[in-house]
Amino acid sequence: MKKLTAAPGPIGIFDSGYGGLTILHGIRQLLPRYDYLYLGDNARAPYGPRSFDVVYEFTRQAVVRLFELGCHLVILGCNTASAKALRTIQQHDLPRLDPSRRVLGIIRPTAEVIGSLTATRRVGILATEGTIKSRSYELEIHKLFPDIRVTGVACPFWVPLVEYNEADSPGADYFVKKRIDQLMALDPGIDAIILGCTHYPLLMPKIVKYVSPGVRIVPQGEYVASSLKDYFARHPEVECKCTKGGGVHYLTTESPAKFRESASVFLHEHVDVESIALP
């Protein structure tokens, strides 16, 4: 590992693919003056079906690289990485790499607000198979709100629908309706549904179409952004190490041309991207 610089640097955002761009977008909307460095491990995506050990190792490699590139704070803009790798990195790797640096996930911020978004105390989770099997949302929510009943359903075809730009297609209706119906059949009392995958906000028009009136849909971006703003207020020693030039740069482990094309689905803007290798 290269020697880490003490100079301030950008906020790192990591995802296995493109979904973390929705997290980055939400953060930039609320905190536009900071610099951001986005790293997508697109060549090895998706992470969802991979084992805990593999997801941890891939995520650790990405975090180390972002530290080497000057980031003092890295946000895992990926539910699978947050579920399978965050705790080990925080407890095992950070003390050894640099105790002053921070790695944050995106599950805890959503869990923290869900108590104020449900009246029935029945919450649904729509996510990838890996996130559902990890039970990370259920565990985090129950730490804060033991009275909330959590029901999760995996949506294996939703990510490909987004990444192949089929989110608006008639065929997407079948897959979206099927999983929502499955979730509500398991617990008709659900009045709030967390979108536990960063791709899913791009399916929002379809999701809203098939969810009953009165059921609240909870995407993560705005809540992660609010949580980060609050984190900076509580931790000025971290905030002061984040540069403020209002810039954003993108890195991918795959083809820059393919990243630019796919990222346009999420951001609707031109992105400055370069290829990078992870071990």
Side-chain angles (χ1 to χ4, degrees):
M1 179 177 168
K2 300 175 184 176
K3 182 176 172 57
L4 300 180
T5 176
I11 297 169
I13 310 283
F14 170 68
D15 186 19
S16 58
Y18 301 100
L21 295 170
T22 63
I23 299 297
L24 173 62
H25 176 74
I27 294 173
R28 288 179 68 198
Q29 291 289 104
L30 187 64
L31 301 168
R33 65 194 185 106
Y34 293 88
D35 292 310
Y36 298 93
L37 181 59
Y38 183 92
L39 171 55
D41 189 11
N42 308 90
R44 300 190 291 194
Y47 279 14
R50 296 185 183 273
S51 70
F52 272 75
D53 289 344
V54 171
V55 171
Y56 158 68
E57 180 56 27
F58 286 0
T59 304
R60 185 194 65 79
Q61 291 170 3
V63 167
V64 168
R65 180 56 59 88
L66 286 167
F67 283 171
E68 291 174 346
L69 292 169
C71 300
H72 290 263
L73 169 66
V74 173
I75 297 169
L76 303 184
C78 171
N79 283 279
T80 302
S82 295
K84 295 184 176 182
L86 176 63
R87 188 175 301 276
T88 304
I89 289 172
Q90 288 177 332
Q91 296 180 351
H92 178 264
D93 295 292
L94 284 183
R96 178 176 52 85
L97 294 170
D98 183 345
S100 71
R101 296 187 191 243
R102 295 290 180 267
V103 179
L104 305 177
I106 58 174
I107 292 176
R108 178 81 181 189
T110 315
E112 288 174 344
V113 301
I114 199 63
S116 64
L117 303 179
T118 172
T120 64
R121 316 308 279 175
R122 316 272 272 277
V123 171
I125 312 290
L126 295 171
T128 64
E129 184 179 1
T131 298
I132 295 298
K133 283 185 174 179
S134 75
R135 298 180 58 236
S136 294
Y137 274 99
E138 183 180 353
L139 295 170
E140 285 296 332
I141 289 171
H142 283 163
K143 286 178 190 175
L144 302 165
F145 309 105
D147 62 313
I148 292 181
R149 175 176 168 179
V150 180
T151 304
V153 165
C155 307
F157 294 104
W158 286 23
V159 168
L161 284 172
V162 172
E163 295 206 342
Y164 287 100
N165 206 13
E166 295 290 332
D168 295 326
S169 70
D173 288 73
Y174 170 80
F175 294 104
V176 171
K177 182 177 187 301
K178 180 178 181 179
R179 297 308 176 187
I180 290 173
D181 288 350
Q182 180 183 352
L183 179 67
M184 298 309 294
L186 290 171
D187 186 355
I190 288 170
D191 69 346
I193 298 175
I194 295 172
L195 302 185
C197 173
T198 51
H199 284 68
Y200 295 178
L202 276 77
L203 289 163
M204 187 67 81
K206 303 286 189 188
I207 294 169
V208 171
K209 182 177 177 181
Y210 294 111
V211 167
S212 301
V215 177
R216 184 162 190 164
I217 307 301
V218 185
Q220 295 172 290
E222 63 185 276
Y223 300 107
V224 173
S226 298
S227 178
L228 179 58
K229 183 178 181 180
D230 178 65
Y231 182 86
F232 279 158
R234 292 182 288 109
H235 296 279
E237 76 282 2
V238 177
E239 192 278 339
C240 71
K241 295 177 181 176
C242 300
T243 54
K244 302 168 184 68
V248 58
H249 188 67
Y250 300 87
L251 301 171
T252 177
T253 56
E254 202 174 47
S255 155
K258 187 176 188 309
F259 185 94
R260 277 191 291 269
E261 179 184 351
S262 297
S264 66
V265 175
F266 292 82
L267 297 176
H268 305 292
E269 65 180 66
H270 175 77
V271 299
D272 175 23
V273 58
E274 63 180 285
S275 181
I276 190 172
L278 292 176

